[in-house]
């Protein structure tokens, strides 16, 4: 009698089971005891050794090691990530603003009366310098006009088509190529260790949801962003649909970030990643919880490989993603970790 | 040489692996090919044979069988459930309203000027008949006063303490005992087949999140409900916290249900369960998607074991959960399935 038949399992079954194991382990992220630990050296290959990389490794070990006093049960592990300037390039203009500017001709075609009205007139002129100088209240008018008035499916289809075709002016590549490889590794590393990864963006929730799963591996319900209301109604065929309304429901910036995270997730994250003053309250609120905490800020100090901006380093200020001196002071006082793109990242993009 | 050493796996490992398998299979819900199919007969033991039970089994088979033309990939499987009257008892008053009425003395203790102001005066009088007659605008004042003005943690702790101690007047049991056993089986059956189960309640999102995980196995971020805004601020110690504000952000009733579901989840569910006119739009929107769809309505027609109410069956109307004739007509026309509590459910509660 073979061992196989004694234990009541045929060799075929055994091999079948063994063959399934890799898939099984990968799917078992929430059960840390079974998860295949990633060797610390291999988890974040695009990171240089240093305080930033070490802070991530230390935090994950402290919260996932069952013998750690700061162990967090898998179901409570939540990490939130700002998008613009934290997960992908935000210069020279937020990608979603480029999308909205590109949509203006289509909006004016439907509403010709806007043709001679500001700020639409300026956008249609194609005068880049004038467009760049449009004040915030004009940008808001453009956002409202281009992000509402259509069904949620129409919006999704338009945005998807655009994001697949549009190119960044500097790299001549799709914007979705301009995600930071080191941060993709952090997202994956956190998930491999049982963390649910959320995007908490000041950008449009609907816009980011269009590509977040493909680009970041983050499903729609794990994208928290600035969101407008929708309105339920019926088409001529009696079929119900939702229309995007020009009414702000959630302004997911500054204090709106912890408010939005609480609203959508219902609990405080354990880890938060940002890059600007708009992420301050998210990091503060994350940091105010008990146990081990991780708060990180990406500093754009690499003009050669990406951009250098932000007054905290005496670098030029910017319309986007401002890393202010006050934020820098607070990060030092509270022990938040600043990630220097120049020093901490071996590689910036996957195509590097 | 034993078989074991030939395949390079010790018997200990083999047995260890086999011992892990049940847990492994249970954790692998998203991978339908590996999931242990539950025999249709054993999946819903508290259901009688009939059209309602069959509709659930047929829908799950149609959407999970890889050879089915209506197969839905595991990551796209979403089922939404109304709570009051669909997952637990809503008579004689919504549980959350009882909570708010019970909180009035504590609110008045903090704000004595409310003592002689209506509707607080009536609530404090303890006159049940007068309280039951309070118009909706008075109830809204009570809800606003008792559900805001405290930190989110204070609210959670208070609500948790209350829900663990309060008892239903008829059964003299905690309200959380009054969940419908057949619906708990549906929740589990859907999850075992890769569905993400969400609550979409007209009740308070924060209130339901307090007990949804313990009672329904539904984590906070999978509860969509009527929600107020919160306000970020700092305590005297400089520590940030969120205060619940008396400002409605999401009215998750009627048309607000599909709007809220789209906002929170970002996509259309495949299955929806409700029991009243407030669930109509949620069922319509769910039903308007492609492929196999499941829309179900619980009919309260069992006065002996629970309650009988709703004009659709010529039963007395009710302040809560009205199953109107119009809803009944629409459900017949659109092929929604009505669940008769009397005929379809073998058992109502776990303690039956």
């Amino acid at each position: 009698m073979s061992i196989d038949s004694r234990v009541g399992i045929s060799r075929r079954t055994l091999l079948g089971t063994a063959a399934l194991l890799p898939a099984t382990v990968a799917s078992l992220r929430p059960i840390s005891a079974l998860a295949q630990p990633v060797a610390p050296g291999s988890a974040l290959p695009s990171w240089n050794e240093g305080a930033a990389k070490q802070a991530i490794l230390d935090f994950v070990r402290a919260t996932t090691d069952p013998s750690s006093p700061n162990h967090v049960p898998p179901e409570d592990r939540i990490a939130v990530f700002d998008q613009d300037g934290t997960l992908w390039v935000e210069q020279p203009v937020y990608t979603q603003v480029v999308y909205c500017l590109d949509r203006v001709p289509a909006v004016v075609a439907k509403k010709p009366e806007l043709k001679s009205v500001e700020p639409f007139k300026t956008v249609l002129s194609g005068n880049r310098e004038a467009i760049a100088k449009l004040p915030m209240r004009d940008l808001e008018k453009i956002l409202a006009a281009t992000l509402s008035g259509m069904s949620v499916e129409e919006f999704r289809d338009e945005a998807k088509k655009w994001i697949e075709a549009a190119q960044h002016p500097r790299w001549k590549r799709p914007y979705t190529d301009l995600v930071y490889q080191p941060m993709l590794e952090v997202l994956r590393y956190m998930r491999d260790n049982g963390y649910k990864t959320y995007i908490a963006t000041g950008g449009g929730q609907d816009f980011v949801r269009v590509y977040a799963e493909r680009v970041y591996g983050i499903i729609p319900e794990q994208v928290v962003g600035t969101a407008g209301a929708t309105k339920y109604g019926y088409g001529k065929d009696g079929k119900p649909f939702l229309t995007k309304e020009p009414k702000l429901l959630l302004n997911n910036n500054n204090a709106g970030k912890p408010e939005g995270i609480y609203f959508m997730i219902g609990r405080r994250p354990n880890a938060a990643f940002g890059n600007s003053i708009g992420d301050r309250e998210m990091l503060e609120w994350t940091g105010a919880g008990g146990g081990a905490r991780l708060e990180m800020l990406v500093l754009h100090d690499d003009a050669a490989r990406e951009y250098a901006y932000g007054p905290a380093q005496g670098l030029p200020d910017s319309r986007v993603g401002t890393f202010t001196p006050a934020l820098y002071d607070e990060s030092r006082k509270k022990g938040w970790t600043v990630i220097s793109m120049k020093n901490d990242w071996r590689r910036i993009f996957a195509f590097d």
Side-chain angles (χ1 to χ4, degrees), chain A:
Chain A
M1 191 196 265
S2 75
I3 292 284
D4 286 342
S5 59
R6 266 191 287 136
V7 297
I9 297 174
S10 76
R11 193 180 166 198
R12 188 188 183 92
T13 307
L14 169 64
L15 291 172
T17 304
L20 288 176
L21 277 180
T24 304
V25 169
S27 303
L28 276 171
R29 283 167 194 155
I31 303 172
S32 58
L34 294 176
Q36 205 79 284
V38 179
S42 69
L44 304 169
S46 300
W47 290 70
N48 289 317
E49 299 305 320
K53 178 177 175 177
Q54 201 55 47
I56 300 167
L57 298 176
D58 287 350
F59 168 79
V60 168
R61 202 188 45 237
T63 55
T64 60
D65 178 347
S67 69
S68 159
N70 289 319
H71 179 257
V72 176
E75 62 273 18
D76 291 336
R77 294 179 196 160
I78 291 174
V80 291
F81 296 80
D82 169 58
Q83 183 193 226
D84 295 296
T86 300
L87 294 179
W88 75 353
V89 169
E90 64 181 348
Q91 293 286 2
V93 191
Y94 294 127
T95 305
Q96 190 181 356
V97 173
V98 184
Y99 169 75
C100 292
L101 292 171
D102 280 3
R103 288 292 307 160
V104 166
V107 167
V108 172
K110 276 192 179 174
K111 292 186 184 176
E113 68 272 19
L114 295 177
K115 206 171 169 175
S116 50
V117 177
E118 289 298 355
F120 303 97
K121 199 177 156 185
T122 296
V123 176
L124 290 171
S125 76
N127 180 340
R128 280 164 183 276
E129 215 167 301
I131 295 170
K133 279 184 189 152
L134 287 173
M136 189 46 81
R137 64 171 190 283
D138 276 347
L139 273 185
E140 281 169 3
K141 275 183 204 164
I142 292 163
L143 264 60
T146 53
L147 296 174
S148 66
M150 72 290 285
S151 76
V152 298
E153 288 83 8
E154 280 165 0
F155 171 78
R156 188 197 54 207
D157 294 347
E158 277 164 9
K160 189 167 181 286
K161 211 165 66 182
W162 184 87
I163 200 83
E164 282 168 3
Q167 294 204 331
H168 190 281
R170 173 167 162 189
W171 285 277
K172 317 284 182 215
R173 286 175 168 274
Y175 289 93
T176 50
D177 279 7
L178 301 176
V179 296
Y180 307 134
Q181 179 61 25
M183 292 306 292
L184 291 181
E185 292 166 7
V186 173
L187 285 171
R188 165 148 228 159
Y189 181 59
M190 299 297 281
R191 289 195 290 259
D192 283 348
N193 282 281
Y195 275 87
K196 244 181 172 171
T197 54
Y198 280 82
I199 288 176
T201 176
Q205 183 167 283
D206 282 358
F207 185 78
V208 178
R209 281 175 169 176
V210 167
Y211 56 82
E213 189 162 3
R214 172 171 65 85
V215 175
Y216 304 118
I218 293 179
I219 51 180
E221 56 265 44
Q222 283 168 220
V223 175
V224 181
T226 296
T230 59
K231 194 174 168 55
Y232 183 84
Y234 302 90
K236 281 177 191 158
D237 56 359
K239 231 180 148 177
F241 66 96
L242 294 171
T243 303
K244 283 173 71 68
E245 297 277 289
K247 186 193 154 195
L248 191 66
L249 211 59
L250 189 63
N251 182 1
N252 207 51
N253 276 299
N254 306 98
K257 283 209 179 191
E259 293 164 7
I261 290 167
Y262 174 75
F263 180 44
M264 299 285 284
I265 313 180
R267 33 198 177 140
R268 194 195 304 262
N270 314 88
F273 294 76
N275 77 304
S276 84
I277 192 70
D279 302 313
R280 179 186 156 208
E281 289 85 352
M282 176 172 78
L283 267 67
E284 286 177 345
W285 193 59
T286 299
R293 298 277 138 185
L294 181 65
E295 308 92 348
M296 301 196 85
L297 286 165
V298 174
L299 181 69
H300 294 263
D301 57 358
D302 193 332
R305 295 188 300 169
E306 203 241 12
Y307 294 95
Y309 54 99
Q313 297 285 288
L315 297 168
D317 200 354
S318 156
R319 270 184 80 148
V320 297
T322 307
F323 198 137
T324 64
L327 183 63
Y328 197 69
D329 287 349
E330 184 166 350
S331 72
R332 292 178 63 139
K333 213 161 66 187
K334 297 200 168 151
W336 300 347
T337 306
V338 174
I339 301 165
S340 159
M341 293 182 74
K342 194 172 175 178
N343 301 321
D344 288 315
W345 289 357
R346 191 188 303 266
R347 196 159 70 139
I348 308 274
F349 304 114
F351 59 80
D352 272 348

